[in-house]
Amino acid sequence: MVAIFPIEDPNEPCPAAAERALTAVSDARTRMAALNRQRRAMGDPAVGYGIALHRGEFTYGNIGTARRLDFTVIGAAANEASRLEGMCRQLGQRILLSQAFAGSCRQPLRSLGRHRLRGVEGSQELFTLADAGPG
């Protein structure tokens, strides 16, 4: 799933979009915890998930034909967010934040060190929320 939180004023030190994204993450964590409690009570395995937050420019919209139209996000930032989400399992974290996103939020964060993302030049410091335990 992809969620977009448009930044209205890119010069804001902590854009409202970052706050909205973090609120959505908090809501998702709460709902996943409730779902997994229900699943365990029924003897079913928990559902795993990974959430990646990144800040960057991209293009989005409907792409396709009249027979098959898909909403999608394209661009380097979209690719980087996807690669970041793919690192959740590798790093044992449910929530990862890029260096670009971390620089625009006030929430307490915990550094996970520098990592290379597949298909992204160089390495970058990755973060998780300070209150987020391992995945």
Side-chain angles (χ1 to χ4, degrees):
M1 174 169 70
V2 172
I4 300 168
F5 300 88
I7 297 173
E8 294 171 19
D9 180 359
N11 297 316
E12 242 183 308
C14 180
E19 293 299 322
R20 289 192 307 274
L22 290 167
T23 298
V25 166
S26 178
D27 185 49
R29 289 169 66 189
T30 299
R31 291 172 183 262
M32 289 302 294
L35 172 66
N36 283 330
R37 278 192 302 277
Q38 290 174 344
R39 291 181 58 82
R40 283 189 293 275
M42 295 185 313
D44 293 330
V47 175
Y49 65 94
I51 298 173
L53 297 176
H54 180 56
R55 179 179 174 163
E57 294 185 20
F58 53 86
T59 301
Y60 63 94
N62 292 316
I63 296 178
T65 66
R67 290 188 145 169
R68 180 177 169 107
L69 195 60
D70 289 319
F71 179 83
T72 193
V73 178
I74 58 174
N79 292 340
E80 193 167 335
S82 176
R83 300 300 190 258
L84 185 60
E85 186 276 330
M87 294 285 293
C88 287
R89 179 174 288 166
Q90 181 180 331
L91 296 177
Q93 300 293 322
R94 289 195 170 144
I95 301 162
L96 289 179
L97 290 73
S98 70
Q99 191 170 326
F101 186 90
S104 67
C105 76
R106 293 183 287 232
Q107 187 110 0
L109 304 176
R110 181 168 40 95
S111 174
L112 300 170
R114 295 191 70 79
H115 298 274
R116 291 186 62 82
L117 302 176
R118 184 174 56 88
V120 177
E121 190 174 322
S123 66
Q124 65 171 286
E125 188 173 11
L126 302 183
F127 299 85
T128 192
L129 300 175
D131 69 347

